[in-house]
Protein backbone atom coordinates (compact mmCIF):
# COMPACT_ATOMS: atom_id res chain seq x y z
CA UNK A 1 0.00 0.00 0.00
CA UNK A 2 1.46 3.34 -1.02
CA UNK A 3 2.14 5.87 1.72
CA UNK A 4 2.18 8.81 -0.68
CA UNK A 5 0.13 11.75 0.59
CA UNK A 6 -3.26 12.35 -0.97
CA UNK A 7 -3.53 15.25 -3.43
CA UNK A 8 -4.22 18.62 -1.86
CA UNK A 9 -7.52 19.19 -3.72
CA UNK A 10 -8.98 16.25 -1.78
CA UNK A 11 -7.61 17.52 1.53
CA UNK A 12 -8.72 21.14 1.43
CA UNK A 13 -12.45 20.34 1.42
CA UNK A 14 -11.93 18.40 4.64
CA UNK A 15 -10.51 21.52 6.21
CA UNK A 16 -13.47 23.53 4.96
CA UNK A 17 -15.74 20.87 6.42
CA UNK A 18 -14.81 22.21 9.84
CA UNK A 19 -17.16 25.13 9.15
CA UNK A 20 -20.20 22.92 8.54
CA UNK A 21 -21.86 23.46 11.96
CA UNK A 22 -21.96 27.25 11.54
CA UNK A 23 -23.21 27.19 7.94
CA UNK A 24 -26.91 26.88 8.91
CA UNK A 25 -26.53 30.17 10.78
CA UNK A 26 -24.81 31.79 7.81
CA UNK A 27 -27.79 30.74 5.68
CA UNK A 28 -30.09 33.08 7.64
CA UNK A 29 -28.44 36.37 6.51
CA UNK A 30 -28.04 34.88 3.03
CA UNK A 31 -31.80 34.29 2.79
CA UNK A 32 -32.46 37.90 3.76
CA UNK A 33 -30.75 38.94 0.53
CA UNK A 34 -33.65 37.51 -1.47
CA UNK A 35 -36.66 39.63 -2.51
CA UNK A 36 -39.50 39.33 0.01
CA UNK A 37 -43.19 38.67 -0.58
CA UNK A 38 -44.61 39.46 2.90
CA UNK A 39 -46.93 36.46 2.68
CA UNK A 40 -46.62 34.95 6.13
CA UNK A 41 -43.30 33.76 7.56
CA UNK A 42 -40.27 34.41 5.39
CA UNK A 43 -37.62 31.89 4.34
CA UNK A 44 -35.27 32.97 7.12
CA UNK A 45 -37.98 32.35 9.75
CA UNK A 46 -38.61 28.84 8.41
CA UNK A 47 -34.90 28.01 8.27
CA UNK A 48 -34.39 29.34 11.80
CA UNK A 49 -36.82 26.67 13.01
CA UNK A 50 -34.85 24.03 11.13
CA UNK A 51 -31.64 25.34 12.71
CA UNK A 52 -33.12 24.84 16.18
CA UNK A 53 -34.12 21.27 15.25
CA UNK A 54 -30.61 20.70 13.88
CA UNK A 55 -29.17 21.83 17.24
CA UNK A 56 -31.39 19.40 19.13
CA UNK A 57 -30.33 16.51 16.87
CA UNK A 58 -26.63 17.35 17.31
CA UNK A 59 -26.99 17.53 21.08
CA UNK A 60 -28.77 14.17 21.20
CA UNK A 61 -26.13 12.52 19.00
CA UNK A 62 -23.21 14.01 20.92
CA UNK A 63 -24.89 13.44 24.31
CA UNK A 64 -23.68 16.69 25.79
CA UNK A 65 -25.24 19.42 27.88
CA UNK A 66 -26.57 22.16 25.60
CA UNK A 67 -25.84 25.20 27.77
CA UNK A 68 -23.93 26.05 30.91
CA UNK A 69 -26.04 26.86 34.00
CA UNK A 70 -25.25 30.58 33.63
CA UNK A 71 -26.21 30.62 29.96
CA UNK A 72 -29.42 28.71 30.70
CA UNK A 73 -30.42 31.26 33.33
CA UNK A 74 -29.56 34.34 31.23
CA UNK A 75 -31.24 33.09 28.05
CA UNK A 76 -34.15 31.44 29.86
CA UNK A 77 -34.99 34.40 32.08
CA UNK A 78 -37.39 36.04 29.57
CA UNK A 79 -39.53 32.89 29.50
CA UNK A 80 -41.05 33.86 32.87
CA UNK A 81 -42.45 37.18 31.68
CA UNK A 82 -43.43 35.76 28.30
CA UNK A 83 -45.44 32.93 29.87
CA UNK A 84 -47.37 35.33 32.11
CA UNK A 85 -48.04 37.74 29.23
CA UNK A 86 -49.18 34.87 26.97
CA UNK A 87 -51.73 33.80 29.58
CA UNK A 88 -53.05 37.36 29.71
CA UNK A 89 -53.41 37.71 25.92
CA UNK A 90 -56.79 38.63 24.45
CA UNK A 91 -57.06 35.26 22.68
CA UNK A 92 -55.25 31.93 22.76
CA UNK A 93 -54.14 32.47 19.17
CA UNK A 94 -52.57 35.84 19.98
CA UNK A 95 -50.87 34.41 23.04
CA UNK A 96 -49.51 31.40 21.17
CA UNK A 97 -48.19 33.34 18.15
CA UNK A 98 -46.69 36.07 20.33
CA UNK A 99 -45.02 33.56 22.62
CA UNK A 100 -43.58 31.67 19.66
CA UNK A 101 -42.17 34.83 18.07
CA UNK A 102 -40.52 36.08 21.26
CA UNK A 103 -39.08 32.64 22.06
CA UNK A 104 -37.71 32.40 18.53
CA UNK A 105 -35.99 35.80 18.62
CA UNK A 106 -34.80 36.07 22.21
CA UNK A 107 -34.32 32.48 23.38
CA UNK A 108 -34.13 29.73 20.75
CA UNK A 109 -32.06 31.31 17.96
CA UNK A 110 -29.55 32.93 20.38
CA UNK A 111 -29.19 29.55 22.10
CA UNK A 112 -28.60 27.91 18.71
CA UNK A 113 -25.84 30.42 17.99
CA UNK A 114 -24.29 29.72 21.38
CA UNK A 115 -24.26 25.99 20.60
CA UNK A 116 -23.17 26.03 16.94
CA UNK A 117 -20.48 28.73 17.14
CA UNK A 118 -17.55 26.76 18.52
CA UNK A 119 -14.58 29.13 18.27
CA UNK A 120 -13.42 32.49 16.97
CA UNK A 121 -13.21 31.22 13.40
CA UNK A 122 -16.92 30.36 13.40
CA UNK A 123 -17.66 33.72 15.01
CA UNK A 124 -15.82 35.61 12.27
CA UNK A 125 -17.53 33.62 9.52
CA UNK A 126 -20.94 34.62 10.88
CA UNK A 127 -19.83 38.23 11.34
CA UNK A 128 -18.64 38.36 7.73
CA UNK A 129 -22.05 37.09 6.61
CA UNK A 130 -23.52 40.22 8.25
CA UNK A 131 -21.07 42.35 6.25
CA UNK A 132 -21.89 40.52 3.02
CA UNK A 133 -25.63 41.06 3.49
CA UNK A 134 -25.03 44.73 4.28
CA UNK A 135 -22.96 45.22 1.12
CA UNK A 136 -25.62 43.61 -1.06
CA UNK A 137 -28.52 45.52 0.47
CA UNK A 138 -26.47 48.71 0.42
CA UNK A 139 -25.66 48.28 -3.27
CA UNK A 140 -29.34 47.79 -4.08
CA UNK A 141 -30.21 50.82 -1.97
CA UNK A 142 -27.68 53.09 -3.68
CA UNK A 143 -29.00 51.97 -7.07
CA UNK A 144 -32.51 52.84 -5.91
CA UNK A 145 -31.41 56.33 -4.92
CA UNK A 146 -29.52 56.97 -8.15
CA UNK A 147 -32.35 55.72 -10.37
CA UNK A 148 -35.20 57.14 -8.28
CA UNK A 149 -36.74 53.69 -7.72
CA UNK A 150 -36.54 53.66 -3.93
CA UNK A 151 -39.27 54.28 -1.36
CA UNK A 152 -41.02 57.62 -1.42
CA UNK A 153 -39.37 60.38 0.61
CA UNK A 154 -40.73 63.91 0.35
CA UNK A 155 -42.52 62.92 -2.84
CA UNK A 156 -39.44 61.41 -4.51
CA UNK A 157 -38.45 57.75 -4.82
CA UNK A 158 -35.00 58.29 -3.30
CA UNK A 159 -35.13 56.44 0.02
CA UNK A 160 -32.83 53.41 -0.06
CA UNK A 161 -34.67 50.34 1.24
CA UNK A 162 -32.84 47.48 -0.49
CA UNK A 163 -34.88 44.36 -1.21
CA UNK A 164 -37.09 44.96 1.85
CA UNK A 165 -39.36 47.37 -0.01
CA UNK A 166 -41.45 50.28 1.20
CA UNK A 167 -43.29 48.00 3.66
CA UNK A 168 -40.15 47.86 5.79
CA UNK A 169 -38.20 51.09 5.33
CA UNK A 170 -36.07 50.23 8.35
CA UNK A 171 -34.99 46.84 6.98
CA UNK A 172 -32.04 47.99 4.90
CA UNK A 173 -30.98 50.50 7.54
CA UNK A 174 -30.84 47.71 10.14
CA UNK A 175 -28.93 45.30 7.88
CA UNK A 176 -26.42 47.95 6.79
CA UNK A 177 -25.92 49.24 10.34
CA UNK A 178 -25.24 45.81 11.81
CA UNK A 179 -22.90 44.97 8.93
CA UNK A 180 -21.04 48.23 9.45
CA UNK A 181 -20.66 47.51 13.18
CA UNK A 182 -19.23 44.06 12.35
CA UNK A 183 -16.84 45.55 9.78
CA UNK A 184 -15.58 48.19 12.22
CA UNK A 185 -15.05 45.57 14.93
CA UNK A 186 -13.05 43.32 12.61
CA UNK A 187 -11.00 46.24 11.27
CA UNK A 188 -10.08 47.35 14.80
CA UNK A 189 -9.20 43.86 16.04
CA UNK A 190 -6.18 41.64 15.59
CA UNK A 191 -7.34 39.34 12.82
CA UNK A 192 -5.29 38.72 9.69
CA UNK A 193 -4.13 41.86 7.90
CA UNK A 194 -6.19 41.14 4.79
CA UNK A 195 -9.31 40.79 6.92
CA UNK A 196 -8.69 44.10 8.69
CA UNK A 197 -8.00 45.97 5.45
CA UNK A 198 -11.02 44.45 3.73
CA UNK A 199 -13.24 45.18 6.72
CA UNK A 200 -12.09 48.81 6.84
CA UNK A 201 -12.92 49.22 3.16
CA UNK A 202 -16.35 47.65 3.68
CA UNK A 203 -17.07 49.96 6.62
CA UNK A 204 -16.30 53.05 4.53
CA UNK A 205 -18.39 51.73 1.62
CA UNK A 206 -21.39 51.12 3.91
CA UNK A 207 -21.50 54.75 5.06
CA UNK A 208 -23.21 55.85 1.84
CA UNK A 209 -26.18 53.43 1.89
CA UNK A 210 -26.63 54.07 5.60
CA UNK A 211 -26.89 57.79 4.90
CA UNK A 212 -29.31 57.22 2.01
CA UNK A 213 -31.61 55.16 4.25
CA UNK A 214 -32.67 58.47 5.90
CA UNK A 215 -33.11 56.57 9.17
CA UNK A 216 -32.36 58.86 12.09
CA UNK A 217 -32.53 56.06 14.66
CA UNK A 218 -30.04 53.93 12.74
CA UNK A 219 -27.69 56.89 12.37
CA UNK A 220 -27.71 57.61 16.10
CA UNK A 221 -27.26 53.97 17.13
CA UNK A 222 -24.47 53.38 14.61
CA UNK A 223 -22.59 56.56 15.47
CA UNK A 224 -22.72 55.80 19.20
CA UNK A 225 -21.70 52.16 18.74
CA UNK A 226 -18.78 52.87 16.41
CA UNK A 227 -17.55 55.64 18.73
CA UNK A 228 -17.49 53.20 21.66
CA UNK A 229 -15.71 50.59 19.53
CA UNK A 230 -13.07 53.13 18.56
CA UNK A 231 -12.50 54.18 22.17
CA UNK A 232 -12.13 50.57 23.29
CA UNK A 233 -9.69 49.84 20.47
CA UNK A 234 -7.33 52.62 21.55
CA UNK A 235 -7.02 56.40 21.07
CA UNK A 236 -4.53 56.25 18.19
CA UNK A 237 -6.72 53.99 16.13
CA UNK A 238 -9.77 56.03 17.03
CA UNK A 239 -8.12 59.18 15.69
CA UNK A 240 -7.02 57.50 12.44
CA UNK A 241 -10.43 55.99 11.74
CA UNK A 242 -12.25 59.21 12.63
CA UNK A 243 -10.11 61.13 10.15
CA UNK A 244 -10.74 58.51 7.45
CA UNK A 245 -14.50 58.58 8.03
CA UNK A 246 -14.54 62.38 7.99
CA UNK A 247 -12.62 62.41 4.71
CA UNK A 248 -15.00 59.87 3.18
CA UNK A 249 -17.98 61.95 4.29
CA UNK A 250 -16.54 65.09 2.74
CA UNK A 251 -15.86 63.30 -0.56
CA UNK A 252 -19.29 61.68 -0.75
CA UNK A 253 -21.43 64.66 0.26
CA UNK A 254 -19.23 67.56 -0.73
CA UNK A 255 -17.18 66.31 -3.64
CA UNK A 256 -19.96 64.41 -5.39
CA UNK A 257 -22.91 66.24 -3.87
CA UNK A 258 -24.72 62.99 -2.98
CA UNK A 259 -27.98 63.78 -1.21
CA UNK A 260 -26.60 66.96 0.35
CA UNK A 261 -29.83 68.95 0.78
CA UNK A 262 -32.04 66.04 1.82
CA UNK A 263 -29.45 64.62 4.20
CA UNK A 264 -28.87 68.00 5.80
CA UNK A 265 -32.60 68.47 6.30
CA UNK A 266 -32.91 65.00 7.83
CA UNK A 267 -29.96 65.62 10.14
CA UNK A 268 -31.39 68.98 11.22
CA UNK A 269 -34.70 67.28 12.05
CA UNK A 270 -32.95 65.27 14.79
CA UNK A 271 -32.52 68.45 16.81
CA UNK A 272 -36.13 69.52 16.13
CA UNK A 273 -37.89 66.59 17.76
CA UNK A 274 -38.83 68.79 20.69
CA UNK A 275 -39.31 72.22 19.10
CA UNK A 276 -40.99 71.55 15.75
CA UNK A 277 -41.38 67.78 15.29
CA UNK A 278 -42.69 66.38 12.02
CA UNK A 279 -45.73 64.09 11.89
CA UNK A 280 -43.65 60.92 12.19
CA UNK A 281 -42.18 62.18 15.46
CA UNK A 282 -45.63 63.28 16.70
CA UNK A 283 -46.98 59.81 15.96
CA UNK A 284 -44.09 58.23 17.82
CA UNK A 285 -44.63 60.40 20.91
CA UNK A 286 -48.33 59.57 20.83
CA UNK A 287 -47.66 55.84 20.55
CA UNK A 288 -45.21 56.05 23.44
CA UNK A 289 -47.83 57.77 25.59
CA UNK A 290 -50.36 55.11 24.60
CA UNK A 291 -47.97 52.32 25.65
CA UNK A 292 -47.33 54.05 28.98
CA UNK A 293 -51.10 54.28 29.54
CA UNK A 294 -51.51 50.53 28.98
CA UNK A 295 -48.75 49.84 31.49
CA UNK A 296 -50.38 52.00 34.14
CA UNK A 297 -53.53 49.90 33.84
CA UNK A 298 -51.66 46.58 34.15
CA UNK A 299 -48.29 47.43 35.75
CA UNK A 300 -47.08 43.90 36.53
CA UNK A 301 -48.14 41.72 33.60
CA UNK A 302 -49.24 44.22 30.92
CA UNK A 303 -52.17 43.84 28.54
CA UNK A 304 -50.90 40.57 27.08
CA UNK A 305 -48.86 39.55 24.06
CA UNK A 306 -50.03 41.07 20.75
CA UNK A 307 -52.29 43.37 22.76
CA UNK A 308 -50.89 46.77 21.78
CA UNK A 309 -52.92 47.21 18.55
CA UNK A 310 -56.15 46.34 20.35
CA UNK A 311 -55.64 48.80 23.23
CA UNK A 312 -53.88 51.54 21.24
CA UNK A 313 -56.87 53.71 20.34
CA UNK A 314 -58.21 53.63 23.89
CA UNK A 315 -55.06 55.39 25.13
CA UNK A 316 -53.99 57.48 22.12
CA UNK A 317 -54.78 61.16 21.62
CA UNK A 318 -56.18 62.83 18.51
CA UNK A 319 -52.63 63.77 17.48
CA UNK A 320 -52.10 60.22 16.20
CA UNK A 321 -52.43 59.99 12.42
CA UNK A 322 -54.33 57.23 10.64
CA UNK A 323 -51.08 55.57 9.59
CA UNK A 324 -47.79 56.09 7.85
CA UNK A 325 -47.74 56.68 4.11
CA UNK A 326 -45.77 54.22 2.02
CA UNK A 327 -45.09 54.20 -1.71
CA UNK A 328 -42.32 53.50 -4.18
CA UNK A 329 -39.90 50.58 -4.54
CA UNK A 330 -42.55 48.61 -6.40
CA UNK A 331 -45.36 49.45 -3.94
CA UNK A 332 -48.44 51.51 -4.73
CA UNK A 333 -49.38 54.35 -2.41
CA UNK A 334 -51.29 53.31 0.68
CA UNK A 335 -51.57 53.86 4.41
CA UNK A 336 -49.82 51.45 6.75
CA UNK A 337 -51.34 51.08 10.21
CA UNK A 338 -49.22 51.92 13.23
CA UNK A 339 -49.41 48.70 15.26
CA UNK A 340 -46.45 49.12 17.61
CA UNK A 341 -45.01 51.96 19.73
CA UNK A 342 -41.67 51.92 17.83
CA UNK A 343 -39.88 51.52 21.15
CA UNK A 344 -38.96 48.00 22.23
CA UNK A 345 -38.84 48.86 25.92
CA UNK A 346 -42.31 50.42 25.89
CA UNK A 347 -43.68 47.58 23.78
CA UNK A 348 -42.50 45.04 26.36
CA UNK A 349 -43.67 47.24 29.22
CA UNK A 350 -47.18 47.65 27.76
CA UNK A 351 -47.68 43.99 26.78
CA UNK A 352 -45.62 42.17 29.45
CA UNK A 353 -45.51 44.66 32.31
CA UNK A 354 -42.68 45.16 34.77
CA UNK A 355 -42.09 41.43 35.11
CA UNK A 356 -41.53 41.02 31.39
CA UNK A 357 -39.38 44.14 31.11
CA UNK A 358 -37.13 43.17 34.02
CA UNK A 359 -36.62 39.59 32.84
CA UNK A 360 -36.00 40.49 29.19
CA UNK A 361 -33.89 43.62 29.66
CA UNK A 362 -32.18 42.06 32.67
CA UNK A 363 -30.83 39.31 30.42
CA UNK A 364 -29.57 41.87 27.89
CA UNK A 365 -27.81 43.87 30.58
CA UNK A 366 -26.22 40.69 31.94
CA UNK A 367 -24.84 39.97 28.47
CA UNK A 368 -23.59 43.55 28.12
CA UNK A 369 -21.82 43.51 31.48
CA UNK A 370 -20.31 40.06 30.93
CA UNK A 371 -19.23 40.87 27.39
CA UNK A 372 -17.72 44.24 28.37
CA UNK A 373 -15.75 42.66 31.22
CA UNK A 374 -14.34 39.99 28.94
CA UNK A 375 -13.54 42.57 26.27
CA UNK A 376 -11.66 44.76 28.73
CA UNK A 377 -9.66 41.77 29.96
CA UNK A 378 -8.69 40.95 26.38
CA UNK A 379 -8.01 44.60 25.54
CA UNK A 380 -5.66 45.17 28.47
CA UNK A 381 -4.13 41.72 28.64
CA UNK A 382 -0.41 41.71 29.24
CA UNK A 383 2.16 41.41 26.44
CA UNK A 384 2.05 38.29 24.31
CA UNK A 385 4.91 35.81 24.51
CA UNK A 386 7.99 37.30 22.98
CA UNK A 387 6.27 40.61 22.25
CA UNK A 388 5.02 41.03 18.72
CA UNK A 389 2.03 42.79 17.21
CA UNK A 390 -0.45 41.36 19.70
CA UNK A 391 1.41 42.72 22.73
CA UNK A 392 -1.04 44.49 25.02
CA UNK A 393 -4.04 43.00 23.22
CA UNK A 394 -5.19 39.44 23.74
CA UNK A 395 -6.56 37.20 20.99
CA UNK A 396 -10.19 37.66 20.05
CA UNK A 397 -10.26 41.44 20.35
CA UNK A 398 -12.16 41.70 17.07
CA UNK A 399 -14.77 39.20 18.28
CA UNK A 400 -15.27 41.18 21.47
CA UNK A 401 -15.63 44.47 19.61
CA UNK A 402 -18.16 42.93 17.21
CA UNK A 403 -20.21 41.21 19.94
CA UNK A 404 -20.36 44.19 22.29
CA UNK A 405 -20.94 46.52 19.35
CA UNK A 406 -23.92 44.52 18.08
CA UNK A 407 -25.50 44.40 21.53
CA UNK A 408 -24.91 48.10 22.16
CA UNK A 409 -26.43 48.94 18.77
CA UNK A 410 -29.54 46.92 19.58
CA UNK A 411 -29.98 48.46 23.01
CA UNK A 412 -29.69 51.94 21.51
CA UNK A 413 -31.88 51.27 18.48
CA UNK A 414 -34.59 49.76 20.69
CA UNK A 415 -35.26 53.31 21.93
CA UNK A 416 -36.45 54.18 18.39
CA UNK A 417 -37.72 50.83 17.12
CA UNK A 418 -38.87 47.35 18.02
CA UNK A 419 -38.92 43.88 16.52
CA UNK A 420 -40.81 43.25 13.33
CA UNK A 421 -40.05 42.42 9.73
CA UNK A 422 -37.47 40.08 8.21
CA UNK A 423 -34.46 41.75 9.87
CA UNK A 424 -35.72 40.52 13.24
CA UNK A 425 -33.68 37.43 12.47
CA UNK A 426 -30.54 39.59 12.43
CA UNK A 427 -31.48 40.79 15.90
CA UNK A 428 -31.69 37.18 17.09
CA UNK A 429 -28.31 36.32 15.57
CA UNK A 430 -26.75 39.46 17.08
CA UNK A 431 -27.99 38.49 20.53
CA UNK A 432 -26.56 35.02 19.97
CA UNK A 433 -23.13 36.40 19.08
CA UNK A 434 -23.22 38.66 22.13
CA UNK A 435 -24.20 35.67 24.27
CA UNK A 436 -21.36 33.57 22.86
CA UNK A 437 -18.78 36.21 23.69
CA UNK A 438 -20.15 36.94 27.18
CA UNK A 439 -20.88 33.37 28.23
CA UNK A 440 -18.54 31.12 26.24
CA UNK A 441 -15.97 33.30 24.48
CA UNK A 442 -13.21 32.47 26.92
CA UNK A 443 -14.00 28.82 27.53
CA UNK A 444 -14.46 27.83 23.88
CA UNK A 445 -12.29 30.26 21.94
CA UNK A 446 -10.19 27.34 20.68
CA UNK A 447 -12.60 24.52 21.45
CA UNK A 448 -12.44 22.99 17.96
CA UNK A 449 -8.93 22.83 16.52
CA UNK A 450 -8.60 23.50 12.82
CA UNK A 451 -6.40 20.98 11.00
CA UNK A 452 -3.74 22.48 8.81
CA UNK A 453 -2.96 21.13 5.35
CA UNK A 454 0.32 19.69 6.66
CA UNK A 455 -1.54 17.81 9.41
CA UNK A 456 -4.00 16.44 6.88
CA UNK A 457 -1.14 15.30 4.64
CA UNK A 458 0.50 13.57 7.59
CA UNK A 459 -2.77 11.89 8.54
CA UNK A 460 -3.43 10.74 4.99
CA UNK A 461 0.10 9.29 4.74
CA UNK A 462 -0.35 7.43 8.01
CA UNK A 463 -3.55 5.85 6.74
Amino acid sequence: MSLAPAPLPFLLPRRAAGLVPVLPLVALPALLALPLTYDGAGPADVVSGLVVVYCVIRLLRERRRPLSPTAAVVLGLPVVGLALAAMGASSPEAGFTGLGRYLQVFVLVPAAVLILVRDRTDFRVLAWSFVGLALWQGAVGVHQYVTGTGASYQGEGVRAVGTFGAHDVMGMATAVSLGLVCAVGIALGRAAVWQRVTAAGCAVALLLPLALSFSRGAWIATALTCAVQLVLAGPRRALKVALAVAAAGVVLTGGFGIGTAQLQERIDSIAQVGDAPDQSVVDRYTLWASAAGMWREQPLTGVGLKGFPEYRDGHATLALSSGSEIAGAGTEYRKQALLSPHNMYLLVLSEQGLIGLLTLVGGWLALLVGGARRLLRVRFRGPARGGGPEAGRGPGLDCGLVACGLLLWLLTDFVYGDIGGPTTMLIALSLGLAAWWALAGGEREDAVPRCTVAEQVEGAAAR
Side-chain angles (χ1 to χ4, degrees), residues 273 280-296 308 312 315-317 320 338 340-347 349-350 412-418:
V273 294
S280 65
V281 177
V282 172
D283 287 339
R284 185 160 300 186
Y285 286 163
T286 306
L287 292 170
W288 289 0
S290 180
M294 298 178 199
W295 168 69
R296 283 191 290 269
F308 182 86
R312 182 200 64 181
H315 297 84
T317 65
L320 182 65
L338 302 172
S340 72
H342 295 285
N343 181 302
M344 189 65 200
Y345 305 107
L346 289 177
L347 176 63
L349 191 64
S350 62
T412 305
D413 185 72
F414 279 163
V415 177
Y416 311 99
D418 48 47

Side-chain angles (χ1 to χ4, degrees), residues 18 21 31 51 153 192 228 240 284 295 304 313 340 407 463:
L31 290 171
V51 169
Y153 178 76
V228 172
K240 292 179 181 178
R284 185 160 300 186
W295 168 69
D313 293 339
S340 72
L407 184 56
R463 288 191 296 272

Side-chain angles (χ1 to χ4, degrees), residues 212-232:
L212 298 180
S213 70
F214 296 103
S215 173
R216 293 168 293 196
W219 292 349
I220 294 172
T222 305
L224 174 63
T225 301
C226 292
V228 172
Q229 287 178 310
L230 289 172
V231 171
L232 291 175

Side-chain angles (χ1 to χ4, degrees), residues 93 109 126 140 186 220 382 411:
E93 181 182 1
V109 174
L126 188 53
V140 175
I186 296 172
I220 294 172
L411 295 179

Side-chain angles (χ1 to χ4, degrees), residues 21-41:
V22 80
L23 292 183
L25 299 175
V26 175
L28 299 180
L31 290 171
L32 293 180
L34 302 176
L36 304 171
T37 59
Y38 291 92
D39 295 331

Side-chain angles (χ1 to χ4, degrees), residues 302-372:
V303 298
L305 294 181
K306 298 286 186 178
F308 182 86
E310 181 180 352
Y311 289 87
R312 182 200 64 181
D313 293 339
H315 297 84
T317 65
L318 296 177
L320 182 65
S321 66
S322 58
S324 60
E325 300 177 344
I326 64 171
T331 302
E332 296 182 357
Y333 173 85
R334 69 180 183 86
K335 288 276 190 176
Q336 183 170 270
L338 302 172
L339 302 179
S340 72
H342 295 285
N343 181 302
M344 189 65 200
Y345 305 107
L346 289 177
L347 176 63
V348 174
L349 191 64
S350 62
E351 294 186 347
Q352 303 179 39
L354 278 175
I355 296 177
L357 183 69
L358 292 177
T359 54
L360 192 60
V361 179
W364 299 341
L365 294 179
L367 294 180
L368 184 62
V369 172

Side-chain angles (χ1 to χ4, degrees), residues 92-145:
E93 181 182 1
F96 180 77
T97 56
L99 178 63
R101 184 60 164 170
Y102 273 94
L103 288 178
Q104 174 199 29
V105 176
F106 298 115
V107 179
L108 296 178
V109 174
V113 175
L114 192 57
I115 293 170
L116 295 179
V117 174
R118 300 159 302 165
D119 52 26
R120 294 191 299 268
T121 301
D122 286 350
F123 187 103
R124 293 182 182 116
V125 169
L126 188 53
W128 274 111
S129 72
F130 275 61
V131 179
L133 174 64
L135 290 173
W136 166 247
Q137 294 292 348
V140 175
V142 172
H143 178 266
Q144 291 170 335
Y145 174 84

